[in-house]
Amino acid sequence: MLKEEIEEAKRSVNTDAVQITIGEVSNMYTSKELNILPDFQRLFRWTNDRKSNFVESILIGIPIPPVFVYENEDGTWELIDGLQRISTLLEFMGVLKNLETGKLQRSQLQKTKYLPSLQGLFWEEKAEGEVAIDKALQLFFRRARVEFQILKHPSDPKTKFDLFQRLNRGGAYANEQEVRTCSMVLANAEFVQAIRKFAQREDFRKVFQITPEQEGNQRDVEYVVRLIVHTFTEFDRTLDVQEFLDAAIVDILTTKGQDDVMSTITWMVESLYRTFGERALFPPPEAAGGVAPRFSLRALEAIAVGISRNKAAITALADADGFLKERITSFWQQPQVPEMSASGLRGTVRLQRTIPFGNDWFKPND
């Protein structure tokens, strides 16, 4: 049985391997045959020290670890793993485009352990006082080879999501959501754009208390992902929370209708903001058990998701806003609420309390 499973898995991961010179990699990037999606490029975060050490490794002949790409229908490649390395090469050669300005980025090397004379060098001189790496080393650098592992089309498209997660989880990325967002873009870029646009709404930002710092680390996008996932998918207890969010959002992006999903959470946020304003998910001072007066995932999962799940029944009421006002106010008086965020409570256990309770609590006539 195991042998059959292995063979089936191999068929879904249809790969090939080629070696390409760095000069050819540069040409492929400039001719748009090698694509670095914007979401990936935003995660290019190597320090100048690491960039210089990587260039040093190439110049002294240390082999470059394999880079993984996905082959599209038109034959172009999408970078799946190797962002930091490939971006470092392109930036040093002065061909990497800045996402915001569209201008070409350049890097200046610093001294390294074995090659201290790299200090201050550029790929080429473009201003007075700049010093370029000499022509012979440029040629050596351009001729150095990179191994590309190619996930060939028509492999199962979901394979590239899984491969990206496996290769990049726990890598040089700031947090789980940034890696998840890249997988989401691979699944459905248009849907992800709608999610991002939603996260910029003023009512959403106020209700969910989004700060500039949270926006910077994609916490706002994570909240939208949690809303969507918990509204449209039942929690899988065999997974931890992050694994569940990873799998569930990709499934939704590839199987659910974008308009239906976004209209549901849009209605929910508009309803919350209309009835309670920016304090919609804040417990009142008289909340049961001395619940702290701040926004928490408990409120997102029990109140926001509970309302979204019951959209059809709530909108059928003669006074939907009145129903929401009464249920949200009385929600905070329930003895079960403090137990939803007890100290030391694991996220998997919390979800098994908040989601079912909210689903039942905001169901009319129950």
Side-chain angles (χ1 to χ4, degrees):
M1 183 64 180
L2 178 58
K3 288 184 178 179
E4 287 80 0
E5 290 176 348
I6 291 173
E7 290 305 314
E8 178 63 27
K10 285 182 177 179
R11 283 192 288 272
S12 68
V13 185
N14 178 18
T15 62
D16 194 5
V18 296
Q19 286 200 337
I20 301 176
T21 67
I22 292 175
E24 291 172 319
V25 172
S26 173
N27 293 337
M28 290 180 68
Y29 173 76
T30 56
S31 61
K32 300 183 179 179
E33 295 175 35
L34 172 64
N35 300 317
I36 304 177
L37 298 177
D39 287 274
F40 288 33
Q41 190 171 331
R42 288 188 179 93
L43 303 183
F44 177 37
R45 291 177 178 154
W46 267 8
T47 63
N48 198 40
D49 179 62
R50 292 196 67 180
K51 295 175 187 177
S52 299
N53 285 334
F54 183 58
V55 171
E56 174 195 57
S57 295
I58 295 169
L59 292 175
I60 63 178
I62 296 177
I64 302 172
V67 171
F68 287 78
V69 295
Y70 177 82
E71 184 181 69
N72 294 307
E73 289 185 44
D74 61 3
T76 59
W77 292 351
E78 285 182 12
L79 188 66
I80 294 178
D81 178 69
L83 167 73
Q84 308 297 331
R85 285 168 280 147
I86 294 299
S87 297
T88 294
L89 300 179
L90 297 174
E91 184 184 51
F92 176 52
M93 297 174 74
V95 298
L96 183 67
K97 283 190 176 181
N98 183 284
L99 282 175
E100 308 302 327
T101 65
K103 295 181 178 179
L104 300 181
Q105 295 180 203
R106 306 168 68 216
S107 58
Q108 183 179 24
L109 300 178
Q110 62 186 55
K111 66 180 181 180
T112 58
K113 180 177 181 180
Y114 298 107
L115 303 176
S117 296
L118 290 179
Q119 177 66 39
L121 295 185
F122 288 91
W123 179 256
E124 59 182 342
E125 299 174 12
K126 289 197 173 182
E128 186 178 350
E130 292 184 352
V131 180
I133 192 168
D134 70 52
K135 189 68 174 180
L137 287 177
Q138 278 192 6
L139 291 174
F140 179 86
F141 189 88
R142 290 180 63 87
R143 292 167 180 167
R145 291 184 173 272
V146 182
E147 180 182 331
F148 278 77
Q149 291 285 336
I150 309 162
L151 188 61
K152 301 283 288 184
H153 181 83
S155 298
D156 175 6
K158 286 191 175 182
T159 304
K160 65 179 177 179
F161 317 145
D162 183 55
L163 181 60
F164 179 84
Q165 292 284 351
R166 292 183 184 214
L167 292 170
N168 290 285
R169 182 66 66 205
Y173 300 93
N175 59 51
E176 297 278 353
Q177 184 56 49
E178 290 183 326
V179 179
R180 185 179 301 120
T181 298
C182 290
S183 295
M184 290 163 58
V185 170
L186 290 172
N188 190 329
E190 181 182 348
F191 206 151
V192 175
Q193 186 59 32
I195 289 173
R196 279 214 171 99
K197 185 176 180 181
F198 180 85
Q200 293 299 314
R201 289 175 59 110
E202 183 179 6
D203 50 5
F204 169 79
R205 296 176 68 80
K206 288 186 174 180
V207 168
F208 287 83
Q209 301 292 301
I210 304 299
T211 65
E213 180 181 0
Q214 288 176 321
E215 182 180 6
N217 59 30
Q218 295 198 29
R219 187 69 166 172
D220 54 342
V221 175
E222 181 185 333
Y223 285 162
V224 182
V225 167
R226 287 176 181 265
L227 287 171
I228 292 173
V229 165
H230 296 314
T231 296
F232 291 93
T233 310
E234 295 300 331
F235 178 57
D236 184 346
R237 299 184 183 189
T238 67
L239 302 175
D240 69 27
V241 176
Q242 297 298 335
E243 289 173 337
F244 171 65
L245 293 174
D246 291 342
I249 191 60
V250 167
D251 185 64
I252 290 170
L253 293 176
T254 54
T255 63
K256 300 288 186 184
Q258 176 181 322
D259 291 344
D260 180 50
V261 171
M262 299 310 298
S263 65
T264 296
I265 62 170
T266 297
W267 166 81
M268 177 272 297
V269 168
E270 289 176 346
S271 298
L272 284 175
Y273 193 63
R274 185 172 59 248
T275 53
F276 280 97
E278 60 188 47
R279 306 289 292 183
L281 297 180
F282 269 58
E286 63 274 13
V291 175
R294 58 180 175 81
F295 169 78
S296 67
L297 289 176
R298 164 184 49 201
L300 182 155
E301 295 158 0
I303 298 177
V305 172
I307 292 171
S308 293
R309 285 185 165 209
N310 287 287
K311 177 188 174 186
I314 294 173
T315 55
L317 298 173
D319 183 13
D321 285 357
F323 169 80
L324 290 176
K325 286 181 179 179
E326 186 279 323
R327 296 309 279 172
I328 292 173
T329 299
S330 56
F331 168 85
W332 294 109
Q333 306 305 319
Q334 305 310 303
Q336 300 96 320
V337 171
E339 299 173 2
M340 294 177 184
S341 287
S343 177
L345 189 69
R346 293 183 60 196
T348 52
V349 177
R350 187 192 67 244
L351 285 172
Q352 294 172 49
R353 297 179 182 180
T354 54
I355 302 295
F357 184 87
N359 184 70
D360 293 340
W361 186 255
F362 290 98
K363 190 176 296 180
N365 303 319
D366 274 24

